[in-house]
Amino acid sequence: MTGPRLVSILRQGSHLIASVHTALDDTQMTAFQHDLVDRIGRDRSRGVVIDVAALDVLDSFATRTLRTIAEVARLRGAVTVVVGIQPDVAFAMVSLGMDTGALHTALDLEEGLALLDRIAGGRRPAVGARGGPA
Amino acid sequence: MVRRIVAARVDDAAMADDLVQETLVRVLAAAGRVDAGMLEPYAIATARNVVATAWRDRDRQRRNQHRVVDLDTPDPPDTELLASEERAAVAEALARLGDRDREALLAHEVSGRDTRSLAAELGSTPGAVAAQLHRARARLRVEYLLARDHTEPPTDRCRPVLLALSSGDRRRQREVEAGRHLLECDACAGLSQPLLDRAPPREDAVRIPVDGDGDVVAARQAARELAARLGCFSRTDLTLIATAVSEVTRNIVKFAGSGEVVVEVLEEPRTGVRVTARDTGPGIPDVERALQDGYSTYAGLGLGLPGARRLMDEFAIASEVGRGTTVTMTRWCGER
Amino acid sequence: MTGYRGQGTTTGGPGGLDGLDGLEGLAEDQLLPQLVAHLREHRARLRHEWADRIQLAGLLHAMTPQEMAAETTSVYDNYVEVLETGSVEALQRYARDLSERIIPRGVETHEVVGIVLLLRDVLARSLFEKYQRDFGLLNRVLDAYEPAANRIANTVAVSFVEERERVIRQQQDSIRELSTPVLPVRERLLILPIIGVLDRERARQLTEQLLNGIRTHRARVVVIDITGVPEVDESVANHLVQTVDASRLMGASVIITGLSPVIAQTLVTIGVDLSKMDTIGDLQGGLEEAERLLGYPTAGGDDGTAP
Ligand SMILES: [Zn+2]
């Protein structure tokens, strides 16, 4: 992604931390997906945290994109955790009827990284990831 | 002279005489510094000022002021040419007004008569005169644009639509289905932009032309801002509204390519916001089916319409194959 | 009221009757005070008669005999006072007092209207008995009494209905607030006991509170106890599914307790997807499961709580 910093992707150990800084349109969202998936492959990341705390809407397209990222990342051997979904956004997502069952989620970055550690520790993620793919 | 300009387009010569006379009298009485020979441009400039002021077009206004205040200074040649074209357009527009409207407008704008004295003279009320002046100005703006562009509107429906836009009369705009017409009629679409841009800004409505991805974000942000101003929606309400707008706007982009989203504040029967998403795309053959979960003809989740419906209190969709789709949805303040 | 006039068989009440014979010559505006004096004089007997009629009609059965005695005495006195003063304010005050006093005891509208009408009739009958020997005077007395008595009945009925609605609204509001407490029981663990009917609006309020609570308390596990929800049908279950999903999006797992196996079976049969819901029979079991998820001792994990 070029131009103003809409998103940032930082490496921390074997994890990637991707933060979305502002509302993205569908094209930007798709570009973000490609960039992130590329980085996962290049860095051989084991875990990805996507921080969406700055987003005031997660509509069907954004949610689908997050699911796609998680699925592609999984195929490349990385676990994805989406963090920072705000209460009103979460409410709107379920009201909309989004199926988010396959997404790992956590409250914030700290919790997301803790969850990745638990998963990497070989334990089934007991909390915050129920219903997710094994 | 003023008389020639007006008479050229006014069938009733006596009326033209009166008009000119009155204008001249007022102009002469009002400004000794204005040379009698310059009355024509003065009257035109004043009339143009009516147009420009209402449009709040600063550049033009400045030019008009310049013409009024400093008539001795000749304009550069090309400006002069432009000005003469505009002059002709204004004159033609003036002539196209109904007699009563033109008379009232000139008396008020050029002669400086207030609505009260006009009302007394016409056996009317100041309020009615003000309304008449408002309509006359709206009409003048429309006719000016048509004359300037040397166009005649292609259909019978065009003028009523343009007038409704120019006057900012929302009810009338709905009656004549202005939004739908603008999507179908290129001529009016071209003229509508200056009319809408320069009409008094509406505090209680916002229109977002939809042309691509970025407009999905723009539409939902505009909807959230407008709804937030009402003060009666919780943060969750605002997010539900924004999400619904996002879905229906994306539908426009995906299925029709372009269209518009209008978000309005409602006061009757309760406070709320109404979102109208309109396009002239291919239409939806089976609306019932489109409202079912899981139905989608693009690679989304098929949640566009049924999802948006779940987020709002009221939801209606009108679609005609080959003509387009209009989604109207409302969310009310307070408990449901 | 013709019924009263036709059924006077007893001849006069005890005492005082002869002394009132002079009513014949009274002006109309003197009639009501005389009636009031009569009703005061025979208060004990008439109140008793009224209470018997109330019992016979099966009204106010929610009250004990002691309450009934106290209430009927109070109502009787107020009634006579309103009759005496004819003051609208006094009447409204009386009606409001009556409503406030008896609404909390679960008295229904038809009961309160019923007892006031019974009182009206008991008193009318006593007047009939008193004046039956002089038909002309009886007519005048009843003409003075009936409009005043009907006005009381109407005002009480209207006031009662209004007051009842107000109280119900108030109760609903407080139930709403009281029944959706988000309780932090220990670190990272919230309990949400739901009591009462779960409709769309309430489900929404509850979910909003819970989601905000999850953020505030950084909860990882939420136990929603629905033992207090009277009826768990498809729509309630679907609300719960949404609440569970939304909580999960904020990183919190939800355990539902208080859903009986029978109801769970029924829900599954009608097609409600309970697969995403972690349901455990009782609250205790739910809390144990929650602590296990959080990695407290029994779980044997060392990373249960975040740094
Ligand atoms: Zn047109």
Side-chain angles (χ1 to χ4, degrees):
Chain A
M1 308 260 311
T2 54
R5 303 274 285 175
L6 304 173
V7 300
S8 58
I9 302 173
L10 302 171
R11 184 174 179 166
Q12 180 171 322
S14 60
H15 301 328
L16 285 181
I17 298 171
S19 304
V20 182
H21 299 305
T22 185
L24 302 181
D25 65 32
D26 294 2
T27 307
Q28 292 163 338
M29 196 76 200
T30 305
F32 170 59
Q33 175 191 321
H34 293 314
D35 288 354
L36 185 53
V37 168
D38 281 354
R39 275 294 290 275
I40 293 168
R42 256 190 294 138
D43 292 9
R44 298 171 186 279
S45 310
R46 307 300 301 164
V48 184
V49 177
I50 304 176
D51 189 348
V52 296
L55 298 186
D56 63 357
V57 165
L58 280 170
D59 62 10
S60 59
F61 187 85
T63 307
R64 187 177 74 100
T65 307
L66 292 177
R67 273 173 36 180
T68 305
I69 292 172
E71 183 59 17
V72 175
R74 192 180 67 81
L75 293 173
R76 296 191 168 200
V79 176
T80 303
V81 180
V82 176
V83 305
I85 297 176
Q86 300 301 302
D88 52 317
V89 176
F91 188 85
M93 287 169 79
V94 299
S95 303
L96 189 62
M98 301 301 306
D99 178 10
T100 55
L103 272 184
H104 292 305
T105 48
L107 188 69
D108 54 20
L109 190 56
E110 182 187 319
E111 288 287 303
L113 289 169
L115 178 60
L116 280 181
D117 286 345
R118 285 203 296 279
I119 296 170
R123 278 178 46 185
R124 181 177 168 274
V127 170
R130 306 190 66 79
Chain B
M1 288 287 290
V2 175
R3 182 182 168 180
R4 188 168 41 80
I5 295 167
V6 176
R9 287 287 168 176
V10 177
D11 295 335
D12 186 341
M15 173 60 74
D17 281 348
D18 289 351
L19 196 64
V20 170
Q21 200 166 5
E22 188 180 42
T23 306
L24 293 182
V25 167
R26 297 305 304 178
V27 168
L28 286 171
R33 68 179 188 281
V34 178
D35 187 289
M38 302 302 284
L39 275 177
E40 178 190 325
Y42 178 74
I44 293 298
T46 310
R48 272 188 49 197
N49 224 359
V50 175
V51 177
T53 304
W55 285 353
R56 304 184 317 162
D57 181 328
R58 282 199 204 94
D59 288 339
R60 266 181 216 191
Q61 211 169 356
R62 213 177 297 130
R63 204 139 36 95
N64 286 331
Q65 275 164 357
H66 155 79
R67 291 181 69 79
V68 171
V69 172
D70 191 10
L71 290 169
D72 292 334
T73 311
D75 286 322
D78 55 337
T79 313
E80 190 60 38
L81 179 65
L82 186 67
S84 85
E85 273 179 9
E86 286 195 19
R87 246 189 344 247
V90 170
E92 190 169 337
L94 262 179
R96 285 186 196 172
L97 294 185
D99 296 339
R100 285 173 55 88
D101 282 354
R102 180 179 49 244
E103 204 177 335
L105 195 62
L106 285 176
H108 182 68
E109 302 289 354
V110 178
S111 311
R113 302 271 306 276
D114 63 17
T115 51
R116 186 175 309 185
S117 79
L118 280 173
E121 185 179 310
L122 298 168
S124 179
T125 63
V129 171
Q132 186 193 358
L133 288 170
H134 180 74
R135 281 195 305 273
R137 275 187 217 106
R139 174 115 209 179
L140 185 67
R141 285 195 289 274
V142 170
E143 297 299 344
Y144 165 78
L145 286 176
L146 291 170
R148 186 199 63 184
D149 295 356
H150 305 290
T151 52
E152 263 304 300
T155 75
D156 290 347
R157 295 189 54 211
C158 297
R159 262 200 176 80
V161 166
L162 293 171
L163 281 175
L165 293 175
S166 182
S167 62
D169 183 340
R170 274 198 288 159
R171 183 187 299 178
R172 187 76 189 126
Q173 286 170 15
R174 274 199 293 279
E175 278 170 11
V176 299
E177 292 187 291
R180 155 136 231 124
H181 181 78
L182 289 186
L183 290 172
E184 290 171 343
C185 177
D186 287 342
C188 289
L191 293 171
S192 71
Q193 209 50 51
L195 288 175
L196 287 172
D197 286 351
R198 284 151 182 167
R202 277 181 57 186
E203 296 282 308
D204 57 349
V206 58
R207 175 180 170 275
I208 305 99
V210 177
D211 231 1
D213 272 354
D215 299 322
V216 175
V217 176
R220 73 176 181 231
Q221 285 174 346
R224 179 191 286 270
E225 272 166 35
L226 189 76
R229 253 187 270 153
L230 283 177
C232 61
F233 287 119
S234 71
R235 191 183 158 85
T236 301
D237 287 321
L238 296 175
T239 300
L240 293 175
I241 293 167
T243 307
V245 169
S246 198
E247 297 298 329
V248 297
T249 311
R250 175 173 297 102
N251 266 14
I252 294 179
V253 176
K254 295 282 180 191
F255 292 118
S258 67
E260 66 170 12
V261 172
V262 178
V263 188
E264 307 167 81
V265 168
L266 296 183
E267 265 127 35
E268 293 292 329
R270 286 155 62 194
T271 311
V273 287
R274 175 166 58 205
V275 177
T276 308
R278 206 183 272 118
D279 67 62
T280 50
I284 303 171
D286 188 344
V287 170
E288 279 306 308
R289 215 179 130 213
L291 285 173
Q292 285 165 19
D293 279 325
Y295 170 78
S296 173
T297 56
Y298 71 96
L301 291 173
L303 288 169
L305 295 177
R309 176 155 76 167
R310 278 191 287 270
L311 300 177
M312 302 293 275
D313 292 326
E314 283 171 29
F315 186 96
I317 175 165
S319 188
E320 209 177 309
V321 173
R323 281 202 75 201
T325 302
T326 300
V327 174
T328 312
M329 49 191 198
T330 307
R331 195 167 173 95
W332 305 108
C333 290
E335 284 201 18
R336 273 149 274 282
Chain C
M1 296 299 283
T2 46
Y4 301 105
R5 291 170 198 185
Q7 57 180 215
T9 47
T10 48
T11 52
L17 187 121
D18 293 339
L20 286 166
D21 279 349
L23 268 178
E24 183 91 53
L26 282 176
E28 299 299 323
D29 62 351
Q30 289 297 302
L31 280 174
L32 220 44
Q34 291 294 337
L35 299 184
V36 167
H38 168 70
L39 298 179
R40 289 231 166 90
E41 190 179 350
H42 301 289
R43 174 173 176 257
R45 179 176 60 84
L46 292 171
R47 192 196 61 76
H48 219 87
E49 197 177 314
W50 177 40
D52 286 348
R53 291 280 304 273
I54 291 173
Q55 214 154 31
L56 213 63
L59 301 175
L60 301 184
H61 56 270
M63 287 189 184
T64 65
Q66 290 87 343
E67 283 175 334
M68 179 89 128
E71 286 306 315
T72 50
T73 304
S74 156
V75 171
Y76 186 96
D77 290 347
N78 281 312
Y79 189 96
V80 174
E81 187 190 326
V82 170
L83 212 52
E84 179 179 34
T85 61
S87 145
V88 177
E89 290 77 34
L91 176 57
Q92 280 169 345
R93 201 166 48 244
Y94 160 65
R96 211 169 29 242
D97 285 352
L98 178 66
S99 305
E100 277 173 12
R101 219 170 34 243
I102 63 181
I103 286 170
R105 305 190 184 172
V107 174
E108 298 291 327
T109 309
H110 77 271
E111 292 186 285
V112 79
V113 175
I115 65 167
V116 173
L117 290 177
L118 280 179
L119 180 57
R120 182 192 70 179
D121 295 353
V122 165
L123 299 188
R125 184 182 300 210
S126 105
L127 295 173
F128 174 82
E129 289 168 356
K130 185 173 174 58
Y131 299 116
Q132 60 181 324
R133 280 176 297 171
D134 183 338
F135 213 70
L137 178 61
L138 177 64
N139 275 337
R140 286 172 60 208
V141 166
L142 290 178
D143 281 352
Y145 171 72
E146 281 181 8
N150 285 333
R151 195 156 60 104
I152 293 176
N154 280 339
T155 308
V156 167
V158 168
S159 162
F160 182 85
V161 170
E162 283 173 356
E163 181 67 17
R164 190 153 185 272
E165 280 172 2
R166 195 185 63 79
V167 170
I168 288 172
R169 266 200 309 277
Q170 221 171 35
Q171 283 172 345
Q172 280 174 340
D173 287 349
S174 55
I175 285 172
R176 256 177 219 289
E177 285 158 21
L178 281 177
S179 61
T180 55
V182 178
L183 308 171
V185 277
R186 61 189 296 174
E187 203 182 358
R188 303 296 171 89
L189 174 58
L190 294 179
I191 295 184
L192 179 73
I194 306 176
I195 298 154
V197 178
L198 195 61
D199 58 15
R200 180 188 165 191
E201 180 60 23
R202 192 152 168 248
R204 176 208 151 113
Q205 287 184 341
L206 190 144
T207 306
E208 281 189 76
Q209 284 188 37
L210 178 60
L211 297 180
N212 287 317
I214 288 171
R215 188 168 62 175
T216 309
H217 300 288
R218 303 180 60 76
R220 276 210 209 135
V221 181
V222 177
V223 176
I224 300 181
D225 183 58
I226 58 168
T227 312
V229 179
E231 204 179 334
V232 181
D233 57 9
E234 189 179 355
S235 92
V236 169
N238 286 329
H239 289 315
L240 286 173
V241 168
Q242 286 203 344
T243 307
V244 170
D245 282 351
S247 302
R248 219 188 50 78
L249 285 174
M250 297 200 53
S253 295
V254 178
I255 298 165
I256 306 271
T257 62
L259 181 67
S260 77
V262 178
I263 293 171
Q265 200 75 76
T266 313
L267 292 175
V268 171
T269 310
I270 59 176
V272 176
D273 182 9
L274 293 181
S275 64
K276 285 191 289 185
M277 299 221 288
D278 200 345
T279 63
I280 287 176
D282 63 358
L283 185 57
Q284 189 53 44
L287 288 175
E288 282 166 13
E289 168 68 3
E291 303 200 331
R292 196 189 62 74
L293 285 178
L294 285 167
Y296 285 112
T298 49
D302 57 352
D303 57 352
T305 49

